[in-house]
Amino acid sequence: MIKDYQSQKELRDLYDFCIVGGGPAGITLALRLAGYGWSVVLLEGGEHNYSQRSQSLYKCSSSGLNVYLEETRLRFLGGTSNHWAGRCRPFQQSDFAVPPPGDLPGWPIEFSEIERHLPAAMAILDLPLDSGFKTINGAMDSEFEADRFLLSPPTRFAQKYARDLEETEGLDVFINCNCVDLEFDNTTSRIAAVVVSDYDLRRERARAKHFILATGAVENARQLLNSESLVAGGVVSRDGFVGSCFMEHLNVEMGTFILMEGQDPEPRQYFTTDAFVMEHKSGKGNVSTALLSEVKSYGRMAEVKTFLETLSCDIGIAHKIDYIAKFNCPGDGVITTMIEQFPNRKSRLSFLEERDGLGMGKVNINWELSLQDRHTIKTIGMEMAKCFVEAGLGYVKLSEGVYDVSQPLKMTPHAHHMGTTRMASTPEFGVVDQNCKVFGTDNLYMAGSSVFATGGASNPTMPIVQLTLRLAEHLNHQMSSAVAANS
Ligand SMILES: Cc1cc2nc3c(=O)[nH]c(=O)nc-3n(C[C@H](O)[C@H](O)[C@H](O)COP(=O)(O)OP(=O)(O)OC[C@H]3O[C@@H](n4cnc5c(N)ncnc54)[C@H](O)[C@@H]3O)c2cc1C
């Protein structure tokens, strides 16, 4: 049953599981656990629809590259699935087998651990099970294979599962119910309760045997950083791993291309092969090429651009004309990417003294690109340009920042936030263990892309759902064993 916590303070005394956050991860987990027969409460801070009073709680400052954290997250039931685009690409064996460069390890679990949940995740995301992941073009040399992906309708979790959230036995869903603190008991190493608040600052403790945070990668880390009892208990250090290793996927403006005469003008999508990654010691990446329209304006347009560039220098308005001269016109081919970023301790959330409207500490995000990331971008750009011409497809003009790493890069993030409570074998290298349990606690778990040890160049939502199904299976097993032991 879905209840409005603003007017219905009807939490039970004790649940088996308390899940915070009603996005794809939280909704998937709640329905699975309740389906196994456990009592579950799902706490969602927002309403049924967008509201400014909820969304404004996502405000945070930034000291590095702009990662647009306010614009790229939605704080209401269904979470960011209310405006996701639905592109799904599975993780590969190599994502789990090959560690990132540097001193941080990769995933501490086998690929098979997530792969076995793929069919169920595909069903949840309304992907056709029998068609495999499709390609829209062929490979390019041994360096780039055709990218494989499927498009979800896209699944809007709150709408698709509205009835299940209302009717599933054992499940209570509260909207307008904000988690504002985690109460850690140092003597038992357990979370005793989460503190919830409505929008009139009325607070109450929600009690459960197990707690799972599913509030997205930024808020999952923020919840841990905000909890004074976790900090006092030594579980969380505010300058330690929690919040660090924030990763995105990089949409780099690679440059432009001109299609060779007679080539198919349809968009293409390539993906780096494992051989490419091994040879160049780089990250992975998708490269997409598309003509802005089928109007061929190469030739005359180039003349116009050259004329404007020269004129602008002559009369001293270069910066204004530069905008026009470099503007992509119909007929230009544009190259965009989704490139892997490696985990880097300096890309991190920091906890601030400043409070939000519900009294929670705010965070600052410092998002950086490392030299290793610039190497990945440069290598993919240069090799792609070479392969493109060798395959007889066309000619590529790379942007300066791609091949000259001393120049600024034109780039935007993909709204894929990852890595802030990374999974590792030991607390030396991460925040959660192989079962997504926070190191140093006995009953606190993380669901979502905050646990990604590396992010590859695959869209995160399907792997989030796969990992969530794995977590549900683990929690069910844990609880069943505990019940059996006590009976
Ligand atoms: C424009 C856009 C396009 C995208 N396209 C794609 C795509 O094509 N493919 C892909 O794989 N991914 C895509 N994504 C990313 C995708 O939306 C996320 O990976 C996914 O939504 C993450 O799910 P989640 O459940 O972990 O977190 P979220 O969806 O962020 O859900 C978190 C939930 O927690 C709630 N919450 C937060 N704080 C609290 C609190 N204190 N108390 C209670 N509740 C709280 C929020 O209200 C929200 O409901 C896109 C994102 C954007 C912005």
Side-chain angles (χ1 to χ4, degrees):
M1 165 104 43
I2 304 181
K3 295 179 180 170
D4 186 344
Y5 186 72
Q6 198 62 28
S7 53
Q8 294 167 285
K9 307 271 184 292
E10 294 169 11
L11 285 166
R12 292 187 218 168
D13 281 347
L14 181 68
Y15 291 90
D16 291 322
F17 294 101
C18 172
I19 301 164
V20 183
I27 289 178
T28 301
L29 189 61
L31 292 175
R32 278 286 150 142
L33 290 174
Y36 288 131
W38 305 111
S39 64
V40 179
V41 64
L42 177 63
L43 310 175
E44 166 54 47
E47 306 180 18
H48 281 293
N49 285 305
Y50 180 91
S51 74
Q52 196 48 40
R53 73 175 177 182
S54 173
Q55 190 68 24
S56 65
L57 297 168
Y58 270 168
K59 278 204 166 70
C60 57
S61 58
S62 158
S63 55
L65 296 165
N66 197 343
V67 70
Y68 306 99
L69 286 186
E70 286 166 45
E71 298 84 348
T72 53
R73 300 180 290 160
L74 288 178
R75 201 178 185 282
F76 62 99
L77 192 62
T80 311
S81 81
N82 286 299
H83 72 179
W84 80 307
R87 189 179 191 274
C88 297
R89 175 185 208 282
F91 268 150
Q92 299 165 283
Q93 176 93 40
S94 54
D95 286 307
F96 286 71
V98 185
D103 64 339
L104 291 169
W107 286 90
I109 54 173
E110 298 287 327
F111 174 58
S112 55
E113 285 287 307
I114 159 166
E115 176 70 355
R116 67 195 165 88
H117 295 288
L118 185 63
M122 290 175 72
I124 289 171
L125 295 169
D126 304 303
L127 300 172
L129 279 175
D130 48 358
S131 65
F133 285 83
K134 71 177 173 111
T135 57
I136 55 170
N137 47 265
M140 198 165 56
D141 195 59
S142 59
E143 307 238 282
F144 295 91
E145 59 197 19
D147 202 352
R148 301 162 60 230
F149 64 94
L150 280 174
L151 292 176
S152 165
T155 304
R156 309 275 177 229
F157 276 71
Q159 281 100 318
K160 175 172 178 180
Y161 293 109
R163 196 163 172 181
D164 294 332
L165 292 174
E166 278 289 352
E167 294 178 1
T168 299
E169 200 149 323
L171 173 63
D172 287 346
V173 182
F174 287 91
I175 57 167
N176 289 322
C177 189
N178 301 281
C179 174
V180 292
D181 198 6
L182 311 173
E183 282 185 9
F184 179 64
D185 180 345
N186 212 2
T187 56
T188 59
S189 296
R190 293 178 75 80
I191 298 291
V194 299
V195 179
V196 295
S197 174
D198 67 9
Y199 285 92
D200 294 320
L201 306 184
R202 286 179 297 219
R203 289 184 169 207
E204 175 182 13
R205 298 169 78 238
R207 291 177 61 246
K209 294 174 186 161
H210 292 90
F211 295 86
I212 305 98
L213 299 184
T215 54
V218 173
E219 302 301 310
N220 274 1
R222 181 181 171 202
Q223 287 287 346
L224 297 185
L225 292 168
N226 178 63
S227 166
E228 293 297 345
S229 54
L230 279 172
V231 173
V235 173
V236 171
S237 157
R238 287 195 173 132
D239 54 7
F241 255 114
V242 176
S244 77
C245 298
F246 174 86
M247 298 177 288
E248 254 284 3
H249 287 135
L250 315 172
N251 186 6
V252 178
E253 287 183 28
M254 275 287 181
T256 53
F257 69 92
I258 298 151
L259 209 58
M260 276 189 199
E261 210 53 48
Q263 281 295 343
D264 186 350
E266 285 304 303
R268 293 163 181 273
Q269 295 210 24
Y270 297 102
F271 199 86
T272 48
T273 58
D274 286 347
F276 175 101
V277 170
M278 292 299 277
E279 185 190 337
H280 299 287
K281 298 188 175 28
S282 73
K284 302 178 171 200
N286 157 292
V287 182
S288 303
T289 63
L291 288 184
L292 279 186
S293 91
E294 292 183 25
V295 181
K296 292 225 167 145
S297 57
Y298 173 66
R300 192 181 311 159
M301 186 51 71
E303 287 303 315
V304 174
K305 285 182 175 180
T306 310
F307 168 73
L308 284 172
E309 275 168 352
T310 318
L311 178 72
S312 66
C313 290
D314 288 350
I315 60 176
I317 51 166
H319 61 288
K320 289 204 179 107
I321 296 294
D322 191 54
Y323 174 77
I324 302 167
K326 299 239 165 77
F327 192 79
N328 288 318
C329 295
D332 272 3
V334 289
I335 308 166
T336 53
T337 67
M338 192 167 86
I339 288 180
E340 175 170 21
Q341 178 177 30
F342 287 126
N344 162 15
R345 286 181 173 85
K346 288 191 195 151
S347 267
R348 66 166 302 131
L349 297 168
S350 306
F351 189 69
L352 305 174
E353 288 305 316
E354 196 187 341
R355 304 271 136 184
D356 71 13
L358 298 182
M360 263 189 78
K362 291 189 174 183
V363 284
N364 178 71
I365 175 91
N366 182 56
W367 181 41
E368 293 187 4
L369 287 193
S370 66
L371 280 176
Q372 186 65 45
D373 297 329
R374 291 299 293 258
H375 167 73
T376 297
I377 293 164
K378 177 177 174 175
T379 313
I380 291 178
M382 304 267 291
E383 293 302 312
M384 181 268 166
K386 216 162 65 189
C387 291
F388 206 66
V389 71
E390 280 172 6
L393 292 168
Y395 305 101
V396 172
K397 181 179 186 306
L398 289 175
S399 306
E400 205 177 352
V402 170
Y403 56 83
D404 181 352
V405 297
S406 67
Q407 297 297 317
L409 193 66
K410 283 197 181 156
M411 184 198 70
T412 48
H414 268 280
H416 299 164
H417 312 140
M418 301 170 283
T420 50
T421 66
R422 75 191 306 267
M423 186 190 284
S425 317
T426 64
E428 195 189 347
F429 294 116
V431 177
V432 301
D433 69 10
Q434 286 100 325
N435 292 317
C436 298
K437 187 165 76 173
V438 175
F439 286 118
T441 72
D442 209 26
N443 66 344
L444 177 60
Y445 295 80
M446 296 282 153
S449 49
S450 65
V451 306
F452 285 15
T454 57
S458 298
N459 310 71
T461 307
M462 192 169 65
I464 288 175
V465 175
Q466 289 169 267
L467 281 168
T468 303
L469 293 170
R470 177 178 175 269
L471 176 59
E473 197 180 78
H474 171 74
L475 291 171
N476 178 46
H477 180 70
Q478 287 283 102
M479 278 292 270
S480 304
S481 307
V483 170
N486 289 335
S487 61

